[in-house]
């Protein structure tokens, strides 16, 4: 028989309620456990011998929020039923703070979403100071809001301005900042946490009444004061600038705070509940939860790992090339506890890669995010070398040298001369076909593509590419490595540009087409941002490198031929545009402070005047919604081609890869969810037919799109 999720004891007049759910990997909120919690808490509070209660966790984390599957189960219920279920939890938390005895949350690990909402419904909070725990309300990242009082209690505890920042971004709050803001009342070592919370109750330090339930309470800033107007005016502008109106959740959060702080708490909670219902029923939350929660978690758990292959115990790896990309991969390996040989043409060059890692971690130490001892331990894991013989025990070697076939072939041969037959070789390339690169290998079955995204330390995706001869064992090892370094893998089949680079490239190329049509560069850039993409197309190409884009274009033309490229809808005046900027104007991109934008140290760069002079914009009052649709449609259409060609094998991988890989509009849930849920395939087909007639063959519908539009097939069943 399973032990109970909620246990209680009484120590010197203080009840201690411990949440330790054996049925879930982490503590989360769902109906059965909440009923048990309510019953156990009530039993303690009705005991005359109990002065107050400490609520803590028996796991490494406190409580990490609600069971997200509940949202998918209730989404299609009538609104009044969703609201009724929401209010059950809201009222449970309200009973906690009004029952007359002090409650203290002893936060021993991450308190996120509903977990933090529960803690805020206590009368005081104590957090562990010696573990890197996080607190926050990240629901906005799934298209919803904290609907059990989070949007009301947080601004009442820390003020509207800081609460709006935290809730509309979903950012985590560290212990030091939480203490400064007043989100928690004390911070002590984890071992002393429950005792400190209990002593606060015994000493009478905690009042059994929330500040907002007392007559003298006032919002911060005070309602209708100049500071109030300034706070919300700035917040509206900030949210609008960040979301371009695509994300309803941040706007709903603003509304909850603005309206709620003018209402008594019980009325405010009801207002929050109604906003929560609207968001839960929206297509935005539906697709974001589908992709960024369920599909991503399945990918992180390696749900598509080849079966029957033992887990890899990766202890020693190699990275070829100690530039920024190679050093960044080494950082990730070292942080995962692996010994990493960082190889370059000279010891001096290899040491520069380790210096890059040292600088990166030193910045974290200065910010208080990493202990100096931990930094030194990580540095010990990185072994710079110019001798390939040091790779003899490496279970996986990842090359991160320049995008040059001959160079990649050379380092492949040098590696295979010293590594064992069981070692897997991963090529970090963004466009070169893996099958062709594997021709240089004596073990093509162990040769695989591993496409990392820059900056590697921050980007969450790794695209794993199977060549024609890559076997399941190599695929499993690559996936195990990606999981070990805390990133999300997707597996695709080999083709030029694979999946992410191939589809992402359509965003920039469509911007070039718009330039040639007479659309002003500034308008194109702003329309790109307004779709929900993280940057406008010109800024994004600047960051990647215009010279890199030019090399990719030239390489494709040289290998495939101009006729074949044109048959795919490529227009070679775009190649002329890139050549003019890079070769004639000497502007390779952001790295040289000169590209589509001018970079002179300002936080906000400006479009290069030479671009606007050559392309001044001759189309008056273009339809911006039409342009937005072109940007998003072309990426989805190219993805459908990838699926039809079996480059991408699953729609959820396509969606994960699009958001995590190149930042495709997150509010859509990804490229396929955009087409299927937000547009509908019939409408999408009609749009593409119209675009093909107006703009050319790149928009011509493929067979898969016609099949989807006819209703013969769909990707998702929810």
């Amino acid at each position: 028989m399973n032990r109970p999720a909620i246990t209680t004891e009484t120590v010197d007049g203080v009840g201690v309620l411990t949440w330790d759910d054996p049925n879930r990997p982490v503590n989360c909120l769902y109906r059965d456990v909440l009923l048990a919690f309510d019953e156990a808490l009530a039993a303690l509070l009705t005991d005359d011998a109990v002065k107050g209660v400490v609520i803590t966790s028996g796991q490494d984390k406190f409580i990490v929020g609600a069971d997200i599957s509940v949202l998918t189960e209730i989404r299609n219920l009538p609104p009044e039923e969703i609201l009724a279920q929401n209010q059950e939890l809201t009222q449970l938390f309200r009973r906690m703070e009004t029952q007359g005895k002090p409650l203290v949350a002893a936060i021993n690990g991450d308190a996120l979403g509903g977990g933090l909402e529960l803690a805020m419904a206590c009368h005081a909070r104590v957090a562990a100071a010696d573990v890197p725990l996080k607190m926050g309300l990240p629901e906005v990242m799934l298209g919803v809001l904290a609907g059990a009082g989070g949007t009301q209690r947080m601004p009442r505890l820390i003020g509207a301005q800081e609460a709006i920042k935290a809730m509309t971004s979903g950012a985590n709050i560290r212990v030091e900042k939480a203490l400064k803001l007043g989100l928690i009342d004390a911070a002590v070592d984890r071992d002393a946490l429950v005792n400190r919370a209990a002593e606060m109750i015994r000493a009478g330090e905690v009042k059994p009444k929330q500040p907002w339930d007392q007559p003298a309470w006032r919002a911060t800033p005070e309602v209708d004061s100049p500071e109030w107007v300034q706070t919300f005016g700035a917040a509206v502008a900030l949210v609008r600038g960040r979301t371009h109106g695509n994300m309803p959740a941040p706007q709903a959060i603003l509304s909850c705070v603005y309206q709620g702080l003018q209402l008594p708490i019980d009325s405010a909670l009801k207002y929050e509940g109604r906003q929560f219902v609207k968001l839960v029923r929206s297509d935005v939350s539906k697709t974001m939860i589908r992709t960024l929660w369920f599909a991503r978690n399945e990918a992180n758990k390696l749900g598509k790992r080849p079966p029957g292959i033992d887990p890899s115990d990766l202890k020693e790896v190699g990275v070829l090339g100690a530039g920024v990309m190679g050093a960044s991969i080494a950082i990730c390996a070292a942080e995962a506890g692996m010994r990493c040989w960082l190889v370059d043409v000279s010891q001096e060059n290899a040491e520069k890669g380790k210096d890059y890692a040292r600088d990166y971690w030193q910045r974290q130490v200065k910010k208080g995010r990493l202990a100096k001892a931990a930094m030194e331990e990580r540095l010990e894991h990185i072994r710079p070398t110019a001798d390939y013989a040091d790779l003899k025990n490496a279970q996986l070697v990842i090359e991160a040298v320049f995008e040059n076939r001959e160079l990649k072939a050379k380092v492949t041969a040098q590696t295979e001369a010293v590594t064992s037959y069981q070692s897997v070789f991963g090529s970090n390339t963004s466009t070169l076909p893996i099958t062709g690169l594997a021709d240089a290998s004596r073990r093509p079955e162990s040769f695989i593509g591993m496409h990392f995204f820059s900056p590697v330390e921050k980007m969450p995706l790794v695209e794993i590419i199977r060549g024609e001869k890559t076997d399941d064992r190599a695929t499993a090892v690559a996936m195990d490595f990606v999981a070990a370094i805390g990133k999300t893998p997707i597996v695709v089949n080999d083709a030029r540009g694979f999946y992410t680079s191939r589809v992402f490239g359509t965003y920039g190329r469509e911007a070039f087409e718009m330039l040639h049509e007479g659309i002003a560069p500034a308008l194109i850039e702003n329309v790109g941002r307004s779709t929900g993409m993280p940057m406008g197309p010109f800024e994004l190409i600047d960051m990647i490198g215009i010279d890199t884009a030019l090399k990719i274009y030239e390489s494709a033309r040289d290998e495939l031929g101009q006729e074949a490229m044109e048959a795919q809808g490529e227009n070679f005046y775009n190649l002329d545009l890139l050549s003019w900027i890079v070769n004639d104007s000497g502007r390779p991109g952001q790295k040289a402070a000169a590209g589509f934008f001018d970079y002179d140290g300002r936080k906000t760069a400006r479009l290069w005047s030479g671009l606007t002079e050559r392309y001044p914009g001759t189309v008056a009052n273009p339809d911006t919604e039409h342009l937005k649709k072109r940007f998003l449609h072309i990426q989805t259409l190219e993805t459908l081609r990838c699926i039809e060609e079996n480059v991408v094998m699953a729609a959820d991988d396509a969606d994960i890869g699009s958001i995590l890989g190149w930042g495709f509009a997150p509010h859509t849930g990804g490229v396929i969810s955009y087409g299927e849920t937000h547009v509908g395939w019939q409408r999408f087909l009609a749009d593409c037919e119209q675009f093909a007639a107006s703009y050319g063959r790149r928009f011509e519908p493929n067979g898969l799109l016609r099949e989807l539009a006819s209703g013969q097939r769909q990707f998702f069943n929810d």
Side-chain angles (χ1 to χ4, degrees):
M1 183 175 180
N2 281 340
R3 57 181 171 78
I6 308 294
T7 58
T8 62
E9 61 177 327
T10 301
V11 181
D12 296 332
V14 173
V16 178
L17 185 153
T18 302
W19 192 313
D20 187 1
D21 192 343
N23 302 309
R24 304 294 169 99
V26 291
N27 292 330
C28 63
L29 309 181
Y30 58 97
R31 190 176 187 84
D32 288 348
V33 77
L34 284 166
L35 289 172
F37 169 79
D38 193 15
E39 182 179 341
L41 182 60
L44 286 173
L45 293 172
T46 53
D47 185 342
D48 292 339
V50 173
K51 298 176 182 178
V53 177
V54 175
I55 300 173
T56 192
S57 165
Q59 300 186 4
D60 289 340
K61 301 181 189 299
F62 182 65
I63 302 167
V64 296
D67 182 345
I68 300 299
S69 63
V70 173
L71 297 183
T72 63
E73 292 168 5
I74 68 173
R75 175 180 294 119
N76 296 320
L77 294 176
E80 59 273 15
E81 290 188 32
I82 302 175
L83 182 60
Q85 291 193 28
N86 164 263
Q87 290 299 295
E88 287 181 10
L89 182 57
T90 299
Q91 291 307 309
L92 167 59
F93 290 170
R94 187 68 178 131
R95 287 196 302 276
M96 287 171 55
E97 60 188 6
T98 58
Q99 44 66 40
K101 291 184 180 181
L103 303 180
V104 181
I107 304 171
N108 62 311
D110 292 353
L112 300 171
L116 183 58
E117 289 184 289
L118 183 148
M120 290 191 293
C122 295
H123 304 98
R125 288 148 297 282
V126 185
D130 57 339
V131 295
L133 67 85
K134 299 170 288 189
M135 290 169 274
L137 299 176
E139 289 86 350
V140 68
M141 299 170 76
L142 295 177
V144 290
L145 54 72
T151 69
Q152 301 310 309
R153 292 188 179 90
M154 183 175 276
R156 284 167 167 79
L157 282 169
I158 69 175
Q161 184 174 7
E162 291 292 342
I164 288 169
K165 274 196 254 179
M167 293 188 294
T168 58
S169 68
N172 294 321
I173 302 174
R174 300 287 178 179
V175 170
E176 300 83 0
K177 185 173 182 181
L179 188 60
K180 182 178 179 181
L181 292 175
L183 185 61
I184 60 174
D185 301 278
V188 298
D189 285 352
R190 186 170 180 166
D191 290 344
L193 196 61
V194 173
N195 287 340
R196 176 70 179 99
E199 283 304 314
M200 291 170 68
I201 293 172
R202 294 188 189 103
E205 297 176 29
V206 183
K207 295 180 180 180
K209 196 171 187 178
Q210 296 284 29
W212 45 87
D213 284 323
Q214 301 179 37
W217 180 82
R218 295 291 182 272
T220 304
E222 286 202 37
V223 176
D224 291 337
S225 67
E227 292 81 8
W228 171 273
V229 174
Q230 183 178 7
T231 293
F232 282 96
V236 168
L238 182 67
V239 167
R240 181 70 190 183
R242 191 169 64 223
T243 69
H244 298 280
N246 292 316
M247 302 278 252
Q251 298 172 66
I253 290 167
L254 277 180
S255 179
C256 284
V257 178
Y258 181 83
Q259 299 292 344
L261 291 181
Q262 300 180 69
L263 297 169
I265 185 68
D266 290 304
S267 298
L269 291 171
K270 290 177 182 176
Y271 184 86
E272 177 194 75
R274 292 193 292 271
Q275 295 298 313
F276 174 79
V277 172
K278 290 179 185 176
L279 293 175
V280 167
R281 289 170 55 83
S282 71
D283 282 343
V284 170
S285 72
K286 175 181 179 178
T287 53
M288 290 184 76
I289 289 170
R290 173 202 288 159
T291 300
L292 296 175
W293 182 260
F294 290 110
R296 186 178 184 183
N297 283 343
E298 181 68 10
N300 289 341
K301 291 187 291 187
L302 305 186
K304 295 174 184 172
R305 186 181 186 273
I309 297 170
D310 292 338
S312 312
D313 184 17
L314 293 170
K315 297 184 182 300
E316 191 162 335
V317 299
V319 176
L320 311 181
V324 172
M325 179 64 76
S328 297
I329 297 171
I331 285 171
C332 295
E335 288 180 343
M338 301 176 202
R339 176 184 289 183
C340 180
W341 293 99
L342 187 56
V343 184
D344 213 300
V345 293
S346 69
Q347 187 68 30
E348 180 184 5
N349 280 6
E351 293 287 351
K352 288 178 182 178
K354 186 168 183 176
D355 290 341
Y356 178 91
R358 181 180 289 106
D359 291 344
Y360 171 76
W361 285 322
Q362 281 179 338
R363 290 194 296 272
Q364 290 190 332
V365 170
K366 287 180 181 178
K367 293 176 182 177
R369 296 177 182 172
L370 183 69
K372 188 173 182 181
M375 179 189 78
E376 296 298 334
E377 182 180 353
R378 291 175 180 181
L379 283 168
E380 276 298 306
H381 287 306
I382 297 180
R383 306 293 177 89
T385 183
D387 188 354
Y388 276 77
D390 288 328
L391 298 173
K392 61 181 181 297
N393 295 321
Q395 298 153 286
L396 169 68
V397 176
I398 301 169
E399 68 84 357
V401 301
F402 295 117
E403 288 283 272
N404 178 280
R405 284 183 179 277
E406 289 72 25
L407 178 59
K408 289 180 183 290
K410 178 181 177 182
V411 299
T412 300
Q414 288 176 287
T415 299
E416 291 184 348
V418 297
T419 54
S420 76
Y421 192 82
Q422 291 297 308
S423 180
V424 172
F425 190 94
S427 177
N428 174 50
T429 176
S430 58
T431 59
L432 297 176
I434 293 302
T435 301
L437 294 177
D439 287 342
S441 172
R442 293 181 298 177
R443 306 192 293 267
E445 69 280 0
S446 296
F447 195 104
I448 196 164
M450 298 181 70
H451 179 198
F452 292 82
F453 297 80
S454 184
V456 176
E457 305 94 310
K458 295 181 180 179
M459 294 297 284
L461 185 79
V462 179
E463 182 182 27
I464 296 172
I465 307 103
R466 290 180 61 115
E468 288 181 6
K469 297 181 180 179
T470 304
D471 66 16
D472 285 351
R473 189 187 70 84
T475 304
V477 170
M479 294 180 77
D480 290 344
F481 176 79
V482 173
I485 64 174
K487 299 195 181 297
T488 300
I490 61 168
V491 179
V492 302
N493 286 320
D494 192 23
R496 172 166 291 278
F498 322 126
Y499 165 54
T500 57
S501 295
R502 171 176 168 178
V503 178
F504 165 68
T506 64
Y507 179 47
R509 291 200 294 276
E510 199 61 26
F512 299 159
E513 295 293 340
M514 292 176 186
L515 273 182
H516 293 298
E517 292 165 18
I519 309 297
L523 181 63
I524 296 169
E525 187 75 0
N526 289 333
V527 167
R529 290 194 194 100
S530 71
T531 64
M533 296 289 286
M535 299 178 190
F538 301 128
E539 183 183 5
L540 206 50
I541 297 169
D542 265 6
M543 186 183 75
I544 294 168
I546 307 175
D547 55 342
T548 301
L550 176 60
K551 288 174 184 175
I552 290 171
Y553 225 120
E554 289 174 333
S555 175
R557 178 199 59 193
D558 294 343
E559 290 200 24
L560 300 178
Q562 184 160 329
E563 185 176 338
M565 293 285 284
E566 288 176 344
Q568 296 175 12
E570 295 287 0
N571 291 317
F572 276 85
Y573 45 68
N574 292 333
L575 181 58
D576 294 337
L577 165 63
L578 293 172
S579 180
W580 166 67
I581 293 176
V582 174
N583 298 327
D584 299 343
S585 305
R587 303 180 67 86
Q590 198 176 92
K591 57 194 169 189
F596 287 108
F597 281 79
D598 278 322
Y599 304 88
D600 60 359
R602 291 187 299 264
K603 287 186 178 180
T604 303
R606 296 179 182 175
L607 273 170
W608 172 45
S609 60
L611 182 67
T612 55
E613 287 170 6
R614 179 163 174 165
Y615 299 97
T618 57
V619 176
N621 302 316
D623 183 343
T624 56
E625 290 302 313
H626 182 85
L627 297 178
K628 284 169 63 175
K629 190 181 290 187
R630 282 174 59 181
F631 272 136
L632 297 177
H633 275 45
I634 193 63
Q635 295 177 71
T636 295
L637 180 57
E638 192 65 26
T639 299
L640 292 178
R641 293 179 181 128
C642 288
I643 293 174
E644 188 173 60
E645 296 166 19
N646 199 37
V647 174
V648 178
M649 294 168 279
D652 54 355
D653 283 346
D655 278 350
I656 294 168
S658 66
I659 294 178
L660 301 187
W662 72 86
F664 185 83
H667 70 278
T668 66
V671 280
I672 297 300
S673 288
Y674 166 73
E676 183 156 301
T677 303
H678 291 270
V679 180
W681 293 124
Q682 286 186 339
R683 177 71 262 172
F684 190 91
L685 172 63
D687 289 341
C688 288
E689 288 176 333
Q690 177 192 345
F691 291 161
S694 300
Y695 306 115
R697 68 179 70 184
R698 66 185 181 280
F699 278 106
E700 286 182 0
N702 64 339
L704 176 57
L705 173 54
R706 295 189 184 281
E707 184 181 346
L708 290 162
S710 71
Q712 299 175 50
R713 178 177 174 183
Q714 66 181 46
F715 291 112
F716 304 110
N717 296 317
D718 55 358

